[in-house]
C-alpha cells in the first residue's frame, strides 16, 4: 500500500466538501495552503480527515522514524518578574516560600551529576530574575562548555534574552553573538505563547512581544544557529489566532530556514490565574498537531512533549503528523507537572521510550539536538537496564 492511498480514497469521498477536497489535493501536490484554508481546516476538518493529510506528510518526510533524545533540564528559578496568567510555575507574587533560585555552582553541579551518562543535551529554561543576567549566563555556558564540550547547550527563550539584553543595554545581534561565543548551541521554542497582540496582552502582558520574539530568533538564525518554536493553544484564543501564529513562523522560516521543530503546547489549567478556562480535549490536541503539520510546510519536525500530554496521547499523535516525542527528561522538569500534567515525575529510561514508540509500529531513532542520528533502535535488543537513578530536585507539590 502506498502512502498516498488513503489520500486518494479521501479525494473520492462524495461526502467531503469541495473546499476540503481542494486542500487534500494541494497536500498531495505538495502545495502550500493559505491562511483561510488553515482556518477552514480547524473549523471543518474532522479528525480522520486531518489525520490522513498530516500522516501522509509525516510519512513522506520521515517514514516511520520517530525521534527522541537523551536530555535533562535545568530550571534556574521558578520565581519570575513577569506574571503570565496561564503560568502555574512562577511563584513571585504567590507563594515565594515555594520558590527556588539556583546558584551558578548548584547549576554546574547538576551538569556534573551526568558525567559518564549518555545524555547529549542540557535544556536550560526557567523564570526571569535580575541576578540571572548576561555575565551570569556567559559564565554558566562557558563552564559547561569547558567541562563537557560535546554536551549540547539549548538554553533560554527570547523572554529571558529580551530582558537580559535590555538590562545590559545591548542589541539583540550583539547579545546573541555573546551567547554563542560563551557556548550556547541552540534556542528552545518557549515564550512564543500566542503572537496575536490582543490575546498575548491578556495572557502574558509585559514580556517580550511577538515581533521581539521573532527578531531574537532571526538574529540567532543569522549567526547560523538553529532553534525551535512553540504555540500555547487551547485557552482564550480562536482558530484564526493559531493560524496567525503559524503564519508568522512560516514567514520567518521562509526567510532564514533556522527553525527545526514546531511544538504545540497545550494550556493546562491547574493552579494558575486561568483555572476557570476549561482544557481542550485530546481530540482537539490531535487535530491541532495535524493542522500544524499541514500548515507548516517548511518545518522539518512536529514535536509532542510526552511529559505534557501523557504517554498515550504522544503515541496517538504519531498518526497525526508528529515525528518527535522529546527526550528521556530524567524527572528534571517541573514546568508541566506543576500545571497539572498527568506525568508528575516525568522521566523514562531509553528502553521505555523505545518501547513506547515501537508499540505503535513506529521506528525509534535517538537523535542529537540537531537531528543527527545517534542510535537507530529499530532492531536493538536491550539487556537488563539498571533502574534509572533520578537526580532529585526540590519538590513543590
Ligand atoms: S510563563 Fe515564563 S515569563 Fe511568564 S510568569 Fe511563567 S516563568 Fe515567567
Amino acid at each position: 500500500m502506498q502512502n498516498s492511498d488513503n489520500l486518494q480514497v479521501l479525494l473520492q469521498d462524495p461526502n467531503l466538501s469541495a473546499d476540503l477536497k481542494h486542500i487534500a489535493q494541494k497536500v498531495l501536490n505538495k502545495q502550500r495552503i493559505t491562511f483561510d484554508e488553515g482556518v477552514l481546516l480547524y473549523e471543518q476538518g474532522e479528525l480522520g480527515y486531518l489525520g490522513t493529510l498530516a500522516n501522509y506528510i509525516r510519512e513522506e518526510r520521515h517514514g516511520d522514524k520517530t525521534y527522541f533524545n537523551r536530555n535533562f533540564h535545568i530550571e534556574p528559578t521558578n520565581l519570575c518578574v513577569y506574571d503570565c496568567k496561564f503560568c502555574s510555575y512562577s511563584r513571585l507574587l504567590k507563594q515565594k516560600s515555594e520558590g527556588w533560585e539556583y546558584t551558578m555552582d548548584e547549576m554546574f553541579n547538576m551538569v556534573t551529576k551526568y558525567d559518564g551518562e549518555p545524555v547529549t543535551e542540557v535544556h536550560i529554561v526557567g523564570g526571569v530574575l535580575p541576578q540571572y543576567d548576561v555575565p551570569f549566563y556567559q559564565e554558566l555556558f562557558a563552564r559547561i562548555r569547558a567541562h563537557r564540550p560535546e554536551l549540547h547547550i539549548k538554553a533560554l527563550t527570547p523572554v529571558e534574552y529580551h530582558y537580559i539584553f535590555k538590562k545590559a543595554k545591548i542589541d539583540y545581534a550583539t547579545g546573541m553573538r555573546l551567547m554563542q561565543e560563551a557556548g550556547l548551541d541552540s534556542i528552545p521554542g518557549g515564550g512564543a505563547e500566542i503572537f496575536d497582540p490582543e490575546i498575548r496582552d491578556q495572557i502574558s502582558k509585559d514580556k517580550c512581544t511577538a515581533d521581539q520574539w521573532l527578531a531574537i530568533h532571526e538574529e540567532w538564525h543569522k549567526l547560523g544557529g538553529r532553534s525551535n518554536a512553540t504555540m500555547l493553544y487551547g485557552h482564550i484564543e480562536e482558530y484564526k489566532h493559531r493560524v496567525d501564529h503559524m503564519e508568522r513562523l512560516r514567514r520567518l522560516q521562509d526567510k532564514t530556514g533556522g527553525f527545526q521543530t514546531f511544538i504545540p503546547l497545550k494550556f493546562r489549567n491547574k493552579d494558575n490565574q486561568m483555572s476557570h478556562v476549561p482544557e481542550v480535549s485530546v481530540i482537539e490536541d490531535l487535530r491541532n498537531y495535524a493542522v500544524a503539520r499541514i500548515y507548516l510546510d517548511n518545518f522539518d519536525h512536529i514535536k509532542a512533549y510526552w511529559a505534557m500530554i501523557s504517554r498515550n496521547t504522544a503515541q496517538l499523535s504519531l498518526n497525526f503528523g508528529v515525528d518527535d516525542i522529546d527526550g528521556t527528561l530524567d524527572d528534571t522538569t517541573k514546568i508541566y507537572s506543576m500545571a497539572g500534567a498527568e506525568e508528575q515525575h516525568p522521566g523514562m529510561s531509553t528502553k521505555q521510550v523505545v518501547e513506547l514508540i515501537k508499540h505503535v509500529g513506529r521506528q525509534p531513532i535517538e537523535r542529537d539536538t540537531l537531528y543527527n542520528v545517534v542510535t537507530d533502535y529499530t532492531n536493538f535488543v536491550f539487556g537488563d537496564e539498571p533502574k534509572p537513578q533520578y537526580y532529585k530536585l526540590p519538590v513543590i507539590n
Side-chain angles (χ1 to χ4, degrees):
M1 182 168 159
Q2 287 196 343
N3 184 21
S4 61
D5 286 358
N6 287 338
L7 254 181
Q8 297 289 3
V9 170
L10 217 138
L11 285 166
Q12 307 304 323
D13 182 352
N15 297 318
L16 193 66
S17 74
D19 287 340
L20 290 177
K21 261 188 201 167
H22 180 63
I23 295 175
Q25 190 63 54
K26 274 186 147 181
V27 167
L28 195 59
N29 297 345
K30 300 193 170 35
Q31 287 173 300
R32 174 168 283 189
I33 68 164
T34 64
F35 182 97
D36 289 344
E37 287 168 338
V39 175
L40 188 84
L41 284 180
Y42 274 124
E43 286 174 350
Q44 294 182 19
E46 287 177 2
L47 188 64
Y49 166 87
L50 293 174
T52 301
L53 268 56
N55 194 52
Y56 170 76
I57 299 167
R58 183 241 204 264
E59 293 188 358
E60 282 291 294
R61 283 176 173 266
H62 306 292
D64 283 327
K65 290 192 177 88
T66 300
Y67 298 95
F68 70 97
N69 72 349
R70 292 208 248 190
N71 62 349
F72 63 100
H73 284 218
I74 295 177
E75 293 169 357
T77 180
N78 70 337
L79 303 175
C80 190
V81 298
Y82 298 118
D83 187 27
C84 303
K85 302 285 175 267
F86 59 84
C87 184
S88 311
Y89 179 77
S90 166
R91 286 294 187 267
L92 186 60
L93 299 175
K94 300 178 259 178
Q95 308 98 325
K96 191 168 183 190
S97 59
E98 293 183 351
W100 67 78
E101 292 169 69
Y102 292 135
T103 63
M104 173 84 60
D105 284 343
E106 283 172 327
M107 287 192 246
F108 182 68
N109 288 341
M110 290 176 196
V111 174
T112 61
K113 294 270 180 197
Y114 288 89
D115 287 356
E117 298 290 328
V119 290
T120 56
E121 174 191 284
V122 55
H123 179 131
I124 305 172
V125 71
V128 179
L129 283 184
Q131 73 264 33
Y132 302 115
D133 56 10
V134 169
F136 183 95
Y137 282 119
Q138 280 177 300
E139 187 183 336
L140 179 66
F141 297 164
R143 281 180 73 179
I144 298 171
R145 173 64 61 245
H147 176 72
R148 195 164 172 180
E150 83 289 358
L151 186 68
H152 186 105
I153 302 173
K154 184 168 81 176
L156 313 188
T157 73
V159 176
E160 287 135 315
Y161 287 127
H162 172 77
Y163 178 87
I164 66 175
F165 296 161
K166 196 171 163 203
K167 204 158 158 273
K169 298 187 172 46
I170 54 178
D171 61 25
Y172 294 159
T174 308
M176 291 319 302
R177 185 175 45 75
L178 291 176
M179 294 295 116
Q180 191 176 50
E181 285 167 2
L184 179 71
D185 289 305
S186 68
I187 310 185
E193 323 312 357
I194 275 280
F195 290 148
D196 177 82
E198 276 178 30
I199 303 292
R200 193 175 184 82
D201 220 38
Q202 289 180 58
I203 65 170
S204 57
K205 204 169 163 43
D206 299 331
K207 72 181 184 186
C208 72
T209 64
D211 286 346
Q212 289 162 340
W213 190 100
L214 291 162
I216 288 173
H217 279 264
E218 185 169 354
E219 290 302 336
W220 179 244
H221 295 169
K222 280 188 205 161
L223 293 169
R226 308 303 302 272
S227 64
N228 295 335
T230 59
M231 172 176 77
L232 185 74
Y233 70 94
H235 42 90
I236 58 168
E237 90 288 3
E238 296 172 29
Y239 287 143
K240 66 180 180 195
H241 301 127
R242 294 190 204 175
V243 180
D244 167 71
H245 189 94
M246 292 191 282
E247 174 59 29
R248 294 182 200 223
L249 290 171
R250 198 167 75 171
R251 264 190 244 143
L252 180 55
Q253 180 73 332
D254 278 343
K255 205 165 154 190
T256 66
F259 287 117
Q260 300 194 115
T261 309
F262 180 65
I263 311 156
L265 296 177
K266 176 177 185 154
F267 163 72
R268 308 302 304 246
N269 66 8
K270 184 185 162 204
D271 199 16
N272 59 40
Q273 296 171 67
M274 291 169 68
S275 292
H276 57 285
V277 177
E279 294 179 2
V280 297
S281 66
V282 170
I283 301 291
E284 184 61 17
D285 296 332
L286 298 175
R287 293 179 75 249
N288 189 61
Y289 286 122
V291 176
R293 180 60 288 172
I294 298 162
Y295 200 82
L296 293 172
D297 60 345
N298 54 4
F299 274 62
D300 281 341
H301 303 281
I302 305 290
K303 183 193 282 189
Y305 264 124
W306 66 265
M308 189 189 59
I309 57 157
S310 85
R311 300 175 199 210
N312 287 346
T313 309
Q315 284 178 313
L316 280 172
S317 73
L318 300 182
N319 286 334
F320 291 85
V322 169
D323 64 278
D324 188 320
I325 60 164
D326 198 47
T328 45
L329 290 179
D330 209 11
D331 201 11
T332 49
T333 175
K334 295 243 157 268
I335 289 176
Y336 313 120
S337 55
M338 288 170 76
E342 290 76 5
E343 300 280 347
Q344 283 298 298
H345 295 284
M348 279 200 274
S349 67
T350 304
K351 186 179 177 188
Q352 286 173 311
V353 177
V354 164
E355 284 174 355
L356 186 106
I357 295 167
K358 278 189 174 174
H359 277 160
V360 287
R362 300 288 186 178
Q363 196 183 341
I365 307 285
E366 183 190 345
R367 59 164 176 86
D368 65 15
T369 311
L370 301 177
Y371 288 86
N372 298 304
V373 174
V374 176
T375 308
D376 181 343
Y377 281 94
T378 312
N379 299 311
F380 191 91
V381 179
F382 284 90
D384 282 342
E385 275 206 330
K387 203 169 175 301
Q389 298 289 313
Y390 295 136
Y391 180 70
K392 291 281 177 260
L393 287 169
V395 173
I396 294 182
N397 281 320

